[in-house]
Amino acid sequence: MLRAGRSAVSSPVVIRLEHVTKLYKTSTRPALDQVSVTIDRGEFVFLIGPSGSGKSTFLRLLLREDVPTKGDIYVSDLNVAKLPRRRVPRLRQRIGCVFQDFRLLSNKTVGGNVAFALEVIGKSQSTVRKVVPEVLDLVGLAGKADRMPHELSGGEQQRVAIARAFVNRPLVLLADEPTGNLDPDTSQDIMLLLERINRTGTTVLMATHDHSIVDSMRRRVVELDMGHIVRDESRGVYGVGR
Amino acid sequence: MRTDFVAREVFTGLRRNVTMTIAMVLTTAISLGLVGTGLLAVRTIDRTEQLYSDRVEVQVALTSDVSAADTDCSQAVCTALRSKLEALTQVEAVRYENQQQAYERYLQLFKGQALADLVRPQSLPSTLRVRLNDQETGAQAVRQATTGQVGVRNVIDQREVVARLFDFLGGVRDVTFGLAVVQAIAALLLISNTVQVSAFTRRTEVGVMRLVGATRWYTQLPFLIEAVVTGVVGALIAVGGLVIGKFLFIDQLLSGIVSNGVVPPVEVADIIWVSPILVMIGAAIASVTGYATLRLYVRL
């Protein structure tokens, strides 16, 4: 799994964890224990495992919401754990995030929500005006830019969230249970959208509990249990009967 | 930096917590108004001191026999005293006032009063009126040089009378500064609290900002500017309050002693001098408090 010796720069590797251990002060058992994994550019990876297996910690560490107790994490050419505070925004601009609860701003329109992600990193008004309709079109919300989030269905709201995560063209899209609040049909639509985004060359890393989605997609599956990687299959299923 | 974006965020922030914002502005205004009053008191004290250093003299009153015999300080006792005083480095000038001159001044001071008729020139002492160029040590030096000397009746320091006025003004200054400090602490806590509330009500926005990689400036600047805006608005209200206070209150209170030249008036120019200081204090307190709050209490 660990492809050591490869230089991070100009390699296809987008995410690399090397013997990463994360201990929380309040727990005796590490949330992640000596985890090493490599994810290449353009891969679509499911991160599965029961609650408390370390999935959230995995994502938090990638975003530098937290730092590992031991080990190194690379996103593209950035050494995440050793990144100085002032350069953390640069890391996060390369990572898009989608959550189970959408996290849209209820006082802004659909277009406003997507534009917000560009405005707060200082993009010009002209860029915003050009890019926002493009990405809304991509996620299938053309013509809904002026709607408020509460006027949309759950699936549509998640599309807005995906549009916001993708609008700055990140290297990686992290999706934490993106279908957790959606019915199976809508979930399927969201997966198709994530697949479309993956086809643009964006690496997608999705944490999920949804068996049927993992089984139907037949993509790489990394399974965590008690902080260890217990399985890493390139065309895996959720693991029925486990 | 997208200024329009930051400005919009500041505006929504202020509007969203409007009651808190008003409380913060008023507390800051009262605090800075008191600081301003204190500064005006300091300025008035300084100017009153200047006013008096020009006028206040130390009087060396001569005994009645010397007073009666000498009309122009030409006799030995008086000239000796005079040259001794003039030799002091703290002394600027010495003027002799004989009994007749003292009597005329007395008549003028108590014109139209029964007291004026009671006094004869002979009952008033001649005086050596000493102007000082060093207000701090001069009076003491004059006292040392003359007390107990032949021909000296007593030494009167006019500043002792004026000192009571200064004490009063100094008291006003101390009380206003004291109140200002208490109010400033209240303003400080309110600003800190408002920043926290503001950050809490916008936690979703801030969360999204952090996730998409907004820099610290983008996430924190709106809160800081919010605090500074309220600080500055508070300062402006304080300045307005001082102007109103001057015309409604101070002018009337001081009108008697100002027209007699006892105390210099408080001018609008004084308030104009004070106002940039207040605005700067307001902005500085707000921004430092805001920044400290963001660093210590708010995880952005």
Side-chain angles (χ1 to χ4, degrees):
Chain A
M1 269 171 286
L2 169 67
R3 296 163 215 183
R6 250 190 220 178
S7 117
V9 190
S10 78
S11 81
V13 176
V14 169
I15 295 171
R16 191 165 94 234
L17 274 72
E18 291 177 359
H19 308 291
V20 170
T21 298
K22 177 62 187 174
L23 258 166
Y24 288 111
K25 278 186 202 121
T26 48
S27 168
T28 48
R29 181 178 68 78
L32 288 179
D33 194 358
Q34 292 282 331
V35 168
S36 296
V37 68
T38 306
I39 297 172
D40 287 343
R41 185 182 300 263
E43 273 196 283
F44 194 119
V45 181
F46 286 112
L47 189 62
I48 64 170
S51 299
S53 60
K55 299 193 300 292
S56 300
T57 302
F58 192 107
L59 298 183
R60 284 172 58 79
L61 291 180
L62 284 180
L63 281 167
R64 180 57 192 271
E65 296 269 8
D66 230 325
V67 286
T69 316
K70 262 187 288 182
D72 284 316
I73 301 172
Y74 295 90
V75 170
S76 172
D77 57 334
L78 298 175
N79 185 342
V80 175
K82 295 192 174 61
L83 208 59
R85 260 179 82 108
R86 65 192 157 75
R87 290 193 57 186
V88 170
R90 194 178 306 198
L91 165 75
R92 291 183 183 159
Q93 286 181 18
R94 297 183 188 185
I95 303 177
C97 277
V98 181
F99 302 94
Q100 183 173 359
D101 56 358
F102 319 140
R103 300 196 191 172
L104 298 178
L105 305 178
S106 56
N107 57 343
K108 288 188 194 296
T109 61
V110 167
N113 266 282
V114 179
F116 186 76
L118 294 172
E119 284 168 339
V120 299
I121 55 170
K123 298 285 187 202
S124 74
Q125 193 67 55
S126 57
T127 312
V128 172
R129 262 197 292 255
K130 181 174 160 296
V131 175
V132 171
E134 283 174 10
V135 77
L136 283 178
D137 194 31
L138 177 86
V139 300
L141 289 175
K144 295 200 170 164
D146 295 330
R147 298 285 197 85
M148 297 306 280
H150 66 85
E151 299 169 351
L152 304 180
S153 69
E156 285 172 321
Q157 290 189 39
Q158 192 60 294
R159 284 166 189 273
V160 178
I162 292 170
R164 180 177 66 191
F166 187 63
V167 69
N168 195 34
R169 305 286 157 160
L171 275 173
V172 186
L173 189 72
L174 299 184
D176 192 0
E177 304 267 2
T179 59
N181 275 346
L182 305 174
D183 62 64
D185 285 349
T186 316
S187 298
Q188 207 55 54
D189 292 344
I190 292 297
M191 292 317 297
L192 288 175
L193 176 55
L194 289 178
E195 235 183 350
R196 189 189 301 173
I197 282 174
N198 179 235
R199 277 200 300 273
T200 66
T202 307
T203 308
V204 177
L205 177 60
M206 171 169 162
T208 187
H209 281 123
D210 196 325
H211 298 223
S212 58
I213 284 176
V214 176
D215 293 347
S216 68
M217 296 275 290
R218 290 286 172 151
R219 297 297 193 118
R220 181 173 170 193
V221 172
V222 174
E223 182 173 356
L224 281 168
D225 191 23
M226 305 282 274
H228 296 276
I229 291 184
V230 293
R231 179 158 68 112
D232 186 350
E233 289 174 356
S234 60
R235 295 177 74 79
V237 293
Y238 198 93
V240 190
R242 286 176 75 88
Chain B
M1 180 65 67
R2 287 275 304 271
T3 45
D4 58 329
F5 169 77
V6 175
R8 212 166 56 221
E9 286 293 302
V10 170
F11 182 70
T12 34
L14 290 173
R15 211 182 38 187
R16 204 175 313 190
N17 296 326
V18 71
T19 49
M20 196 68 127
T21 306
I22 291 172
M24 193 158 114
V25 166
L26 290 180
T27 318
T28 314
I30 293 173
S31 165
L32 291 174
L34 289 169
V35 172
T37 310
L39 287 175
L40 286 177
V42 170
R43 204 164 155 84
T44 307
I45 290 168
D46 284 353
R47 275 211 264 138
T48 311
E49 255 164 355
Q50 272 171 18
L51 196 71
Y52 282 97
S53 66
D54 293 342
R55 285 193 259 163
V56 173
E57 297 167 325
V58 178
Q59 298 171 0
V60 180
L62 303 180
T63 51
S64 50
D65 54 327
V66 178
S67 300
D70 200 343
T71 56
D72 55 359
C73 199
S74 56
Q75 293 178 17
V77 177
C78 186
T79 45
L81 279 172
R82 184 177 193 153
S83 45
K84 189 166 186 185
L85 286 172
E86 280 170 346
L88 294 170
T89 50
Q90 296 96 330
V91 169
E92 188 179 299
V94 181
R95 188 167 57 83
Y96 182 69
E97 185 181 77
N98 64 27
Q99 281 185 322
Q100 190 57 38
Q101 287 162 333
Y103 180 63
E104 278 157 21
R105 204 158 57 85
Y106 186 90
L107 285 183
Q108 204 185 3
L109 268 174
F110 296 97
K111 198 153 71 180
Q113 294 178 35
L115 220 51
D117 301 331
L118 292 175
V119 171
R120 304 268 154 272
Q122 294 76 12
S123 53
L124 293 170
S126 299
T127 47
L128 283 166
R129 305 182 83 87
V130 184
R131 285 264 295 276
L132 302 173
N133 56 24
D134 181 349
Q135 301 292 332
E136 300 295 311
T137 61
Q140 191 54 37
V142 169
R143 213 179 271 281
Q144 269 179 7
T146 52
T147 307
Q149 296 287 313
V150 179
V152 174
R153 192 168 84 172
N154 60 353
V155 178
I156 303 156
D157 185 357
Q158 288 182 338
R159 292 185 324 150
E160 280 168 12
V161 184
V162 179
R164 262 191 276 156
L165 180 67
F166 286 156
D167 282 351
F168 171 71
L169 288 175
V172 170
R173 177 199 56 194
D174 292 347
V175 169
T176 49
F177 275 145
L179 287 174
V181 167
V182 174
Q183 275 290 322
I185 292 171
L188 214 109
L189 294 176
L190 261 180
I191 290 170
S192 168
N193 193 269
T194 312
V195 168
Q196 287 178 58
V197 169
S198 193
F200 184 75
T201 53
R202 271 189 273 166
R203 63 195 181 286
T204 326
E205 270 100 327
V206 173
V208 171
M209 286 165 111
R210 274 163 38 84
L211 269 180
V212 301
T215 55
R216 278 246 309 263
W217 273 116
Y218 260 99
T219 48
Q220 301 197 347
L221 202 60
F223 298 107
L224 274 185
I225 293 180
E226 242 178 85
V228 172
V229 165
T230 47
V232 169
V233 171
L236 294 179
I237 292 178
V239 170
L242 287 181
V243 172
I244 293 170
K246 171 197 148 44
F247 285 113
L248 285 187
F249 186 62
I250 299 178
D251 280 0
Q252 266 179 13
L253 187 75
L254 296 181
S255 63
I257 45 179
V258 166
S259 60
N260 287 342
V262 179
V263 167
V266 175
E267 309 273 8
V268 175
D270 294 328
I271 297 174
I272 292 173
W273 173 78
V274 167
S275 49
I277 299 177
L278 296 186
V279 171
M280 277 188 292
I281 294 177
I285 287 185
S287 51
V288 169
T289 312
Y291 185 74
T293 306
L294 287 174
R295 288 304 296 262
L296 295 177
Y297 298 113
V298 183
R299 192 168 169 264
L300 287 181

